[in-house]
């Protein structure tokens, strides 16, 4: 068992609580993957509208008014990945993706909104944004 919290409950003899915690972890991971999948399809939609992906990615479903082609393709890719990889690797990939998106966003703030002399910043720059410049 690789789940530290669930393992701690098993060692204490609380097998039922361990199962509940493991079930909650699977439900949490599933919801995170669903949100990331829907977000990725919207990114493909926006990039397609900018002309960097084929126009098929910006087609809107006539009834549901959603970008159905990128949603379908992203769903297929996530389904294949989930079928082929162990759940531990999927959790790690989800964490890496979140870290990369966070670092990219911090870099964007640092590059696009540099402080100007004499102006009060409406959003204070985080200390991490300065670190992003040197983080590779």
């Amino acid at each position: 068992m690789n789940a530290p919290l669930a393992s701690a409950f098993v060692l204490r003899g609380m097998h039922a609580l361990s199962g509940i915690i493991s079930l909650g972890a699977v439900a949490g991971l599933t919801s995170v993957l669903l949100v990331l999948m829907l977000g990725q399809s919207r990114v493909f939609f926006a990039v397609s509208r900018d002309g960097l992906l084929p126009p098929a990615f910006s087609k809107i479903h006539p009834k549901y008014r959603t970008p159905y082609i990128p949603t379908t393709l992203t769903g297929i890719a996530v389904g294949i990945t989930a079928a082929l990889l162990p759940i531990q690797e999927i959790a790690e990939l989800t964490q890496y993706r979140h870290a990369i998106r966070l670092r990219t966003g911090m870099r964007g703030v640092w590059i696009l909104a540099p402080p100007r002399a004499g102006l009060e910043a409406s959003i204070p720059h985080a200390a991490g944004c300065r670190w992003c410049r040197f983080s590779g």
Side-chain angles (χ1 to χ4, degrees):
M1 187 180 302
N2 291 333
L5 188 59
S7 298
F9 279 95
V10 168
L11 290 175
R12 299 284 185 211
M14 300 178 197
H15 298 283
L17 287 176
S18 172
I20 292 170
I21 289 170
S22 297
L23 183 65
V26 170
L29 184 59
T30 303
S31 66
V32 166
L33 286 174
L34 179 63
V35 168
L36 289 176
M37 183 180 81
L38 290 174
Q40 185 64 51
S41 67
R42 296 319 193 263
V43 169
F44 285 155
F45 173 73
V47 171
S48 174
R49 281 207 160 162
D50 289 341
L52 299 173
L53 281 176
F57 282 89
S58 61
K59 282 189 173 181
I60 301 291
H61 193 275
K63 180 178 178 183
Y64 300 112
R65 307 289 303 151
T66 58
Y68 66 100
I69 292 177
T71 303
T72 304
L73 293 177
T74 305
I76 291 170
V78 169
I80 291 171
T81 304
L84 297 178
L85 294 178
I87 195 165
Q88 186 67 29
E89 287 187 41
I90 292 172
E92 289 175 13
L93 287 171
T94 302
Q95 292 171 359
Y96 294 146
R97 178 180 172 176
H98 180 68
I100 289 169
R101 290 176 72 185
L102 191 62
R103 189 170 81 177
T104 303
M106 289 180 3
R107 279 186 179 173
V109 168
W110 191 77
I111 291 169
L112 296 175
R116 291 183 235 151
L119 292 177
E120 187 81 25
S122 60
I123 300 174
H125 288 277
C129 291
R130 299 290 180 197
W131 175 81
C132 284
R133 179 177 180 192
F134 307 105
S135 65

